[in-house]
Amino acid sequence: MMLFCSRGASTVPKEQIKDNGCSCPGCGVFAKYELEGGWFCIYGKEGKKV
């Protein structure tokens, strides 16, 4: 399992990443550190802006 919330965004351009939904809210790290946004793999440590 990759922890993109702590490692940063993928090096693949976000236009080339297929969005199959976000798994972040189901991760214990997400809840423990009260993270917001999700989609860290695409958008980096700031997460997806709504």
Side-chain angles (χ1 to χ4, degrees):
M1 177 170 109
M2 296 293 293
L3 296 176
F4 290 103
C5 57
S6 64
R7 297 186 62 122
S10 172
T11 57
V12 176
K14 62 183 169 187
E15 300 81 30
Q16 295 179 15
I17 299 174
K18 184 177 179 184
D19 184 348
N20 290 320
C22 183
S23 299
C24 297
C27 175
V29 172
F30 188 88
K32 180 177 180 178
Y33 294 100
E34 300 177 359
L35 300 176
E36 296 178 355
W39 282 271
F40 303 111
C41 56
I42 299 174
Y43 299 100
K45 66 181 181 177
E46 299 301 318
K48 185 175 183 176
K49 302 293 184 218
V50 182

